[in-house]
Amino acid sequence: MLLLLSFLVVVVRVLSGGENDYLDELLGRVRELESLTKTLEKEIVMHNQGKANDKIRRHLQGVDELSLYEEARQWNSWTAYQRRKMKNGQDRRLDELTNNFEEFCSSLDTAWLIIVSLICFLLQAGFGLLETGQVRSKNAKSVLLKNTFDACAGGLAYYCSGWALSRGGIKENERAPKPEFAGDEEWMLLPDAQVESYELFFFQLVFATTVSTIVSGAVCERIQFSAYIIFTIFFVGIVYSLASHWTWSRKGYLYQAAIVDFAGGGTVHVLAGAASLVGAAIVGPREDFEPPITEQNDRRNKSSILEDRTKGHDATLSAVGIFLIWFALIPFNAGSALSVCGEEAGRLTSRVAVITLLCGCSGGSVSLIIGRFREGYISLEYGQLGVLAGLVSVASCCAVVEPWCAVWIISPLAVFLFWSIDKVQKKFGIDDPLRASSVHWGAGAISILAVGFFASPKYMSQVYLNGYDGGNNKCSPLQGLTIRLDDDFKANQADTARAL
């Protein structure tokens, strides 16, 4: 607009040719107007900026410290909520992983017990072959018949009454229950019995049938089939079940007396050996049995110790039977930990397996040397029975002794005691064709006493630390004649041991 006015003024001046003073004045006013317009534009810009600043200033003046604190608190609360949300998600994920791991461990232990039980069931085949090879050929079929049906009758007896009598449930938060004579739970695995552990029932049933099989070797060739089946039902269904309850149930007398019997040195082997001794004494010697001539140095008379006691017809069957027994007794002892999940459980199981294997080697070697000096020649029978005595010698103590102690002390002691007992029984005219009584109750007694004499405080704490009586560690006076009576060494039974 200003430019247009200026242009008009110039045109007028040119056309008129006069009035110069008037035109100069008009031009000056136009310039003033242009300057005033620019100044006005600047003031408008500054005014608008000032209003904006005043608006911001007024807004800030209206916000007090309490409002600012409330806004900050709301922000912190939202941040904390987000953190809690993330933490809860992580906790739920961690709980899921923990539950999955526990389920995996439970499934792994279940599978382990079932596999161990299946292998231990081969003891029936091992004892059957050993007994068949050690008797005369005319009685081989009878021996196999008894071994087959003592598993059948013993299994049914344990199912009907043995499992219930051996059980001893502990109520929640009941840390020091009163001892009881027998259990009273889960009769015949009925629907209302609420069975919690079928795999443990399987494992214990294999133990129960093994007990009756041991006795069959001491009375073979002299007992009727019907009488033996009746004995098996009574022995497995009542006697062994009560013994296992006293030893492995937390309400058992021996359990609360702090008796440590990890894999049945007393409950299985001593009990079966004592029953074998009584059975052999009751049925008497075989018709052609004649005690050897004593007080003579003739080598032939010395060898009659075996010739009169073990009239076996097949050494091959006996040897195969021993190897099966050796193979099955390793998981028999190692599986008594009931678990392989976790570093400590795996180490315990492997240590027990190694000790059991080595004690069989040690027992067989020592017995072979004894046979060489007694008989004058290397005897297969001496070696086989030494292996069996060595395996039995660590049944109770295999979890709590050092390997070197088991190999060089416990197993040789068991072999010497076994042959000493056998010699005493021979003098009394007790005919035990397989020497089942002297092997099992002699070597089994050594395994129980070895806990008191040779148990390691470190292993005792690892295996039996979480007992119901609070974790005092001291061996029972019945074990090792109180050779370890320190106040900090009391063998309390743990839930990880084979507690029923």
Side-chain angles (χ1 to χ4, degrees):
M1 179 64 73
L2 292 176
L3 294 175
L4 181 61
L5 291 175
S6 300
F7 178 76
L8 292 175
V9 170
V10 173
V11 172
V12 171
R13 174 182 290 183
V14 172
L15 293 177
S16 62
E19 304 287 336
N20 293 332
D21 296 334
Y22 175 78
L23 292 175
D24 292 338
E25 183 180 359
L26 181 60
L27 184 58
R29 290 182 177 179
V30 171
R31 292 174 178 172
E32 292 178 358
L33 182 60
E34 183 179 1
S35 177
L36 182 62
T37 303
K38 292 180 179 180
T39 302
L40 183 61
E41 289 178 353
K42 291 180 180 180
E43 290 181 356
I44 291 173
V45 171
M46 293 178 64
H47 177 71
N48 292 335
Q49 186 177 1
K51 287 183 64 177
N53 293 335
D54 290 341
K55 184 177 180 180
I56 295 173
R57 189 179 300 108
R58 285 195 302 272
H59 175 71
L60 292 177
Q61 290 176 353
V63 178
D64 55 6
E65 293 182 357
L66 183 62
S67 299
L68 290 173
Y69 173 77
E70 183 66 23
E71 290 182 4
R73 190 185 67 80
Q74 292 178 359
W75 171 259
N76 291 334
S77 298
W78 181 84
T79 305
Y81 167 75
Q82 294 296 328
R83 290 177 179 175
R84 286 196 303 271
K85 185 176 179 181
M86 293 176 62
K87 186 176 184 300
N88 291 336
Q90 293 175 353
D91 291 342
R92 285 194 298 270
R93 180 58 178 167
L94 181 61
D95 292 339
E96 292 177 359
L97 292 175
T98 303
N99 293 333
N100 292 337
F101 178 74
E102 291 176 353
E103 292 176 359
F104 171 76
C105 286
S106 177
S107 300
L108 180 63
D109 290 339
T110 299
W112 164 248
L113 272 185
I114 292 175
I115 294 172
V116 164
S117 302
L118 290 173
I119 298 175
C120 291
F121 199 66
L122 287 175
L123 286 169
Q124 299 288 337
F127 281 114
L129 291 175
L130 176 62
E131 294 172 21
T132 303
Q134 293 287 356
V135 300
R136 291 167 292 185
S137 59
K138 66 176 184 178
N139 293 317
K141 190 173 182 179
S142 174
V143 168
L144 291 174
L145 179 66
K146 292 183 178 68
N147 276 273
T148 301
F149 280 92
D150 70 8
C152 298
L156 290 176
Y158 192 77
Y159 162 73
C160 292
S161 62
W163 174 249
L165 293 176
S166 65
R167 296 289 289 171
I170 303 299
K171 296 180 181 179
E172 187 176 359
N173 299 325
E174 186 179 7
R175 293 185 59 82
K178 295 181 179 179
E180 61 183 11
F181 181 77
D184 186 20
E185 296 182 1
E186 302 179 10
W187 289 91
M188 299 179 66
L189 305 181
L190 295 175
D192 58 348
Q194 298 180 354
V195 180
E196 297 180 357
S197 180
Y198 283 100
E199 66 276 11
L200 185 58
F201 170 82
F202 188 14
F203 189 61
Q204 286 292 324
L205 186 145
V206 172
F207 271 56
T209 55
T210 301
V211 174
S212 61
T213 303
I214 293 172
V215 180
S216 67
V219 297
C220 61
E221 296 189 297
R222 289 156 294 171
I223 189 171
Q224 293 184 356
F225 176 77
S226 57
Y228 179 73
I229 294 301
I230 293 173
F231 161 79
T232 298
I233 293 173
F234 174 76
F235 191 65
V236 174
I238 298 178
V239 177
Y240 167 78
S241 302
L242 293 177
S244 64
H245 173 77
W246 296 346
T247 306
W248 292 320
S249 170
R250 289 204 288 171
K251 289 185 177 181
Y253 296 115
L254 299 180
Y255 184 96
Q256 296 197 5
I259 295 295
V260 173
D261 188 1
F262 183 77
T267 309
V268 175
H269 297 289
V270 172
L271 181 64
S276 300
L277 177 61
V278 174
I282 291 175
V283 298
R286 289 169 289 182
E287 293 181 358
D288 57 348
F289 172 77
E290 295 180 1
I293 302 173
T294 58
E295 303 298 333
Q296 294 186 15
N297 295 324
D298 185 77
R299 179 176 298 180
R300 185 173 181 180
N301 288 333
K302 289 182 179 180
S303 64
S304 62
I305 295 175
L306 277 177
E307 291 175 357
D308 290 323
R309 299 289 295 278
T310 55
K311 299 181 181 298
H313 77 283
D314 195 335
T316 303
L317 292 179
S318 299
V320 174
I322 283 293
F323 277 109
L324 283 177
I325 293 171
W326 197 348
F327 172 72
L329 278 181
I330 294 174
F332 188 93
N333 291 350
S336 297
L338 301 182
S339 176
V340 291
C341 192
E343 182 179 359
E344 291 297 331
R347 186 180 295 111
L348 170 62
T349 302
S350 58
R351 186 176 74 248
V352 170
V354 169
I355 289 176
T356 305
L357 176 63
L358 291 178
C359 283
C361 301
S362 173
S365 301
V366 172
S367 184
L368 198 68
I369 295 173
I370 294 175
R372 176 65 179 84
F373 282 99
R374 291 183 63 178
E375 303 301 322
Y377 60 91
I378 300 298
S379 172
L380 173 64
E381 289 79 7
Y382 270 82
Q384 291 174 345
L385 294 173
V387 169
L388 188 55
L391 295 172
V392 174
S393 67
V394 289
S396 295
C397 62
C398 53
V400 295
V401 297
E402 296 286 354
W404 67 266
C405 182
V407 172
W408 300 114
I409 299 178
I410 298 174
S411 181
L413 282 177
V415 172
F416 279 108
L417 180 62
F418 150 57
W419 286 114
S420 300
I421 294 174
D422 178 72
K423 188 173 182 179
V424 173
Q425 291 182 182
K426 173 181 64 68
K427 287 184 177 296
F428 282 95
I430 297 177
D431 182 16
D432 184 353
L434 272 77
R435 293 177 171 85
S437 55
S438 53
V439 167
H440 289 279
W441 82 262
I446 288 292
S447 73
I448 295 177
L449 295 175
V451 176
F453 281 102
F454 305 112
S456 167
K458 177 181 68 174
Y459 293 149
M460 290 291 291
S461 299
Q462 291 176 356
V463 180
Y464 297 105
L465 180 62
N466 300 318
Y468 62 82
D469 57 351
N472 299 320
N473 287 326
K474 184 171 65 178
C475 271
S476 167
L478 298 177
Q479 291 182 302
L481 306 179
T482 65
I483 195 139
R484 295 183 184 273
L485 285 178
D486 303 301
D487 291 337
D488 61 342
F489 191 75
K490 181 180 180 182
N492 53 26
Q493 309 288 46
D495 292 334
T496 54
R498 242 174 348 90
L500 299 177

